[in-house]
Amino acid sequence: GENVEQHPSTLSVQEGDSAVIKCTYSDSASNYFPWYKQELGKRPQLIIDIRSNVGEKKDQRIAVTLNKTAKHFSLHITETQPEDSAVYFCAAPSPGYSSASKIIFGSGTRLSIRP
Amino acid sequence: GAGVSQSPSNKVTEKGKDVELRCDPISGHTALYWYRQSLGQGLEFLIYFQGNSAPDKSGLPSDRFSAERTGGSVSTLTIQRTQQEDSAVYLCASSSQGGQFFGPGTRLTVL
């Protein structure tokens, strides 16, 4: 079945620097890749997603890139701020399901922003 | 508009008791999901409902767990004969064509 691997599990960056989180997937038919942010004690929230017909998508300080050939996608956060500290989860569709239906989550990356 | 709501927000129960957790999805969302999240851990898929199709129950950890969705809207997750290892936050999410929107979760503590 689909396997979504996420790296690193923890990441600490200096405020103002960039952070990059990477995920790989195994099903070449996967065509939808969302990213979620979960602050301590809060629910996961969708922050950005990308479909397989584009290679990059940006929304202010966050961007996601997709490499379909290599089957990996990455979350990029620029000019990091203290409020970016959270756990980030990537996800990809489960085999046999259409995009944006049943998805499998990565194991999460705990991002800490150092002041 | 209103987001996904869940009740209760917290539930403390004794080992062996049954519990029911409720989820109200966003109006018009055809898909509904249940996940379990233990402290500091990731999101464990439990069950997925899509419209009138048979639910995908592949994530339910044992036959003590069951869920139903009435009228294509509200869903109830039932855990029978609760065990201490069932203690976790149970999250519900709903979606339409895009990403999933999560509820605030129910924190279940089994003593």
Side-chain angles (χ1 to χ4, degrees):
Chain A
E2 177 67 282
N3 187 33
V4 179
E5 295 196 356
Q6 183 171 347
H7 300 281
S9 57
T10 60
L11 179 61
S12 178
V13 301
Q14 192 75 36
E15 182 177 350
D17 288 349
S18 296
V20 181
I21 303 170
K22 298 181 179 180
C23 286
T24 61
Y25 61 97
S26 58
D27 185 357
S28 57
S30 294
N31 57 4
Y32 176 70
F33 307 92
W35 285 89
Y36 291 81
K37 174 183 180 182
Q38 187 175 28
E39 296 178 66
L40 189 62
K42 303 285 184 62
R43 74 190 80 180
Q45 291 195 310
L46 178 69
I47 56 172
I48 195 168
D49 57 13
I50 190 169
R51 296 186 185 272
S52 57
N53 57 342
V54 297
E56 183 177 9
K57 184 176 178 180
K58 287 184 179 181
D59 182 2
Q60 300 182 1
R61 295 187 297 106
I62 61 173
V64 56
T65 59
L66 172 64
N67 184 325
K68 288 204 70 179
T69 302
K71 291 189 283 188
H72 66 71
F73 55 110
S74 300
L75 178 71
H76 304 253
I77 306 174
T78 59
E79 300 172 20
T80 52
Q81 301 172 4
E83 55 264 36
D84 295 330
S85 293
V87 177
Y88 292 81
F89 293 97
C90 65
S94 183
Y97 285 89
S98 63
S99 64
S101 58
K102 182 182 176 184
I103 58 177
I104 295 176
F105 287 88
S107 54
T109 296
R110 184 173 300 278
L111 175 63
S112 301
I113 307 302
R114 302 191 304 271
Chain B
V4 179
S5 61
Q6 292 185 244
S7 61
S9 55
N10 280 285
K11 177 70 176 179
V12 180
T13 190
E14 294 180 347
K15 177 182 174 181
K17 301 283 189 182
D18 297 352
V19 295
E20 282 191 356
L21 313 180
R22 176 187 168 107
C23 172
D24 283 87
I26 292 172
S27 178
H29 279 190
T30 56
L32 187 148
Y33 317 78
W34 283 97
Y35 297 91
R36 180 168 69 175
Q37 188 173 39
S38 299
L39 188 62
Q41 301 300 308
L43 297 159
E44 177 188 3
F45 166 78
L46 296 178
I47 190 168
Y48 161 55
F49 296 90
Q50 173 62 273
N52 295 321
S53 302
D56 179 339
K57 305 178 182 180
S58 60
L60 295 178
S62 78
D63 58 8
R64 296 187 296 106
F65 289 72
S66 63
E68 61 179 24
R69 188 178 185 192
T70 54
S73 181
V74 172
S75 178
T76 303
L77 177 69
T78 301
I79 308 173
Q80 296 178 308
R81 305 181 302 281
T82 52
Q83 303 294 312
Q84 288 184 331
E85 58 264 29
D86 299 335
S87 296
V89 174
Y90 289 81
L91 290 159
C92 173
S94 71
S95 70
S96 179
Q97 297 295 323
Q100 297 179 18
F101 294 87
F102 284 82
T106 293
R107 182 175 298 279
L108 175 66
T109 302
V110 182
L111 302 177

